[in-house]
Amino acid sequence: MLYASFKYGRSDREGDDGRRFTDLDEAGLAALLQAVPGFVELETWITTDRRPGRSNERWLNTLLGVSEIKPLRF
């Protein structure tokens, strides 16, 4: 199981400190899951930012499961 949270939007960006971010909406998450097989979307929801002064920012949260488990071969 995997929980992930993305700032709501459609962009790849770099923060002032050089960190890279990917913003996603529902269509972007669907495209990502098509490109990366092995995960299935269990639940997705949108929340607002709770930090002071950021109540206008939204977050896309998702809970993903593994669609199939393949044994590792060494």
Side-chain angles (χ1 to χ4, degrees), residues 41-72:
E41 184 179 356
L42 301 175
E43 185 176 353
T44 299
W45 65 100
I46 297 171
T47 56
T48 57
D49 201 315
R50 294 184 177 216
R51 295 175 289 178
R54 295 190 178 205
S55 61
N56 63 330
E57 295 180 19
R58 296 185 301 162
W59 293 85
L60 181 72
N61 306 275
T62 189
L63 190 59
L64 305 174
V66 178
S67 61
E68 61 181 64
I69 299 175
K70 294 182 181 179
L72 296 174

Side-chain angles (χ1 to χ4, degrees), residues 1-34:
M1 192 168 295
L2 172 70
Y3 166 78
S5 179
F6 301 92
K7 188 175 269 193
Y8 196 85
R10 287 191 132 187
S11 67
D12 290 318
R13 58 189 171 80
E14 189 172 310
D16 295 335
D17 58 2
R19 293 184 298 160
R20 298 188 53 83
F21 298 94
T22 297
D23 303 340
L24 289 180
D25 59 10
E26 296 90 341
L29 177 61
L32 177 64
L33 292 176
Q34 273 192 312

